[in-house]
Amino acid sequence: QALPYYLRAAKVAKQVFANDEAISMLQRGLALFLENRVPVNEKSEALRVSILEETGDLLELNALHEEALQAYQQAQIWLSLIDPIKGARLHRKIGIVKREQRHFAEALDAYQQAETSLGKQPDMASDSWWDEWLEVQVEQVWAYYWMAQWQEMEALVNKAEPIVRERGSSANRMRFLMASCLMHLRKERYLVSDEMLANSRQVLAASQIWGSMKTRIECHFEFGFLNLWRRELTEAEQYLKAALELAEKTGVLPYQTLSLTYLTVLYRFRGQMDQVQEYAQRALKAAEAAQMPDYVAAGKGNQAWFAWRKVDLLAAEQFGRTALEIW
């Protein structure tokens, strides 16, 4: 009888960003299984899967990739074969972990397994089936974004667009618009059009109603990111700082790293040397904690720029070479 309450307690703790407490609640629930104190039946096994999945979600927020991966893989072991949607979701989340680890081929393989788990479109596919199918397409777009393969991104966007138009919920449309914006960024080499900015503003507004806290962080970041490349620096600073504040409040390490990195770039554009020095150091520390080597390199690159502007050419070269070696 305790199991569903551990799960509920963890979700409440997560809502107020007490992630460590939430993980502790879930681990106490899992301990009951390890101690063989839970009778084996369909209900208890479904709870075990839910607890493991929630544990993986929280661990991944904290950039604990290997631990999150283990939780998702354990959930797969106990998952009923008659639940293809939940099976697809676990494959998709494993793909997200692999993508964050920069293992892109493995991430794409996991997304393919998610589609296999979903199977062919049923005659009367439920909303939950389509929701998961669309999430898998969006996550594939993200993987190809990191690989700078805009043609593959465009194919996925074109594949998903009619489904979003016909069946997509408000949350689906929001996620799809974000994915579409990513595709245009790569295709158009970061020349940000008025239409892209308008779509991002629409997504940001929708995220306040339909989005999770992580989605709200993503949307604030993306809107600031687009303004940055348009050199609309006041707006960029406002939204990148908002994303940073939310990411710090909730412990979402990857978006702390991204926000700090591009605030550093913003201060470079302005020539604000004190801020460049401060934010480059903070970004580097966050990137190391989040296990994001490409952004560790970005931190080193920003430090190289700072040293160059200070005419410390030896340090500039050392930081620059270190960045290149990582990249």
Side-chain angles (χ1 to χ4, degrees), residues 84-145:
I85 295 172
K86 190 171 286 188
R89 191 169 71 234
L90 288 169
H91 281 300
R92 172 171 58 83
K93 289 181 177 183
I94 287 171
I96 292 170
V97 175
K98 291 294 186 180
R99 185 192 72 215
E100 292 302 309
Q101 292 178 313
R102 307 305 188 248
H103 301 320
F104 298 117
E106 293 178 38
L108 291 170
D109 183 61
Y111 299 139
Q112 286 302 309
Q113 290 182 60
E115 291 210 53
T116 300
S117 178
L118 280 173
K120 293 183 179 179
Q121 174 193 338
D123 291 336
M124 297 292 290
S126 65
D127 288 344
S128 58
W129 191 94
W130 282 112
D131 286 346
E132 185 55 37
W133 184 86
L134 286 167
E135 283 296 320
V136 173
Q137 310 315 308
V138 166
E139 293 301 343
Q140 288 181 86
V141 171
W142 272 102
Y144 284 119
Y145 174 82

Side-chain angles (χ1 to χ4, degrees), residues 174-191:
M174 177 180 66
R175 296 273 290 150
F176 174 76
L177 274 177
M178 286 184 69
S180 179
C181 187
L182 290 173
M183 182 272 290
H184 284 291
L185 278 175
R186 283 299 197 193
K187 183 177 180 179
E188 292 149 32
R189 298 184 63 79
Y190 293 83
L191 292 173

Side-chain angles (χ1 to χ4, degrees), residues 156-319:
L156 286 162
V157 167
N158 291 338
K159 175 183 172 184
E161 185 173 17
I163 305 301
V164 173
R165 201 165 44 238
E166 180 183 347
R167 305 189 60 109
S169 65
S170 296
N172 291 149
R173 286 193 290 273
M174 177 180 66
R175 296 273 290 150
F176 174 76
L177 274 177
M178 286 184 69
S180 179
C181 187
L182 290 173
M183 182 272 290
H184 284 291
L185 278 175
R186 283 299 197 193
K187 183 177 180 179
E188 292 149 32
R189 298 184 63 79
Y190 293 83
L191 292 173
V192 179
S193 67
D194 291 344
E195 182 182 1
M196 286 168 63
L197 195 67
N199 284 340
S200 184
R201 184 180 285 109
Q202 180 182 341
V203 169
L204 177 62
S207 74
Q208 308 306 303
I209 303 169
W210 305 106
S212 65
M213 179 56 74
K214 184 172 182 290
T215 300
R216 288 170 60 190
I217 296 169
E218 290 171 348
C219 293
H220 278 87
F221 171 79
E222 183 180 87
F223 192 65
F225 189 70
L226 296 183
N227 277 286
L228 178 66
W229 302 126
R230 287 167 62 100
R231 298 301 197 271
E232 294 168 356
L233 300 185
T234 300
E235 293 83 356
E237 183 176 29
Q238 176 186 347
Y239 287 99
L240 289 173
K241 282 193 168 181
L244 176 60
E245 182 179 346
L246 288 170
E248 288 178 335
K249 182 178 181 180
T250 56
V252 181
L253 277 171
Y255 276 92
Q256 292 179 43
T257 302
L258 293 170
S259 301
L260 287 164
T261 297
Y262 291 104
L263 281 165
T264 308
V265 173
L266 185 150
Y267 295 128
R268 281 176 54 175
F269 287 165
R270 285 180 176 166
Q272 294 176 262
M273 298 297 286
D274 289 345
Q275 285 87 345
V276 170
Q277 184 178 34
E278 175 192 347
Y279 277 80
Q281 291 172 348
R282 289 175 64 188
L284 180 58
K285 185 177 179 181
E288 290 170 342
Q291 302 179 61
M292 297 173 73
D294 38 4
Y295 280 86
V296 171
K300 299 288 186 183
N302 281 325
Q303 288 180 322
W305 182 90
F306 179 84
W308 170 68
R309 285 292 298 269
K310 290 289 188 179
V311 202
D312 184 351
L313 300 188
L314 179 61
E317 182 176 16
Q318 288 174 340
F319 282 127

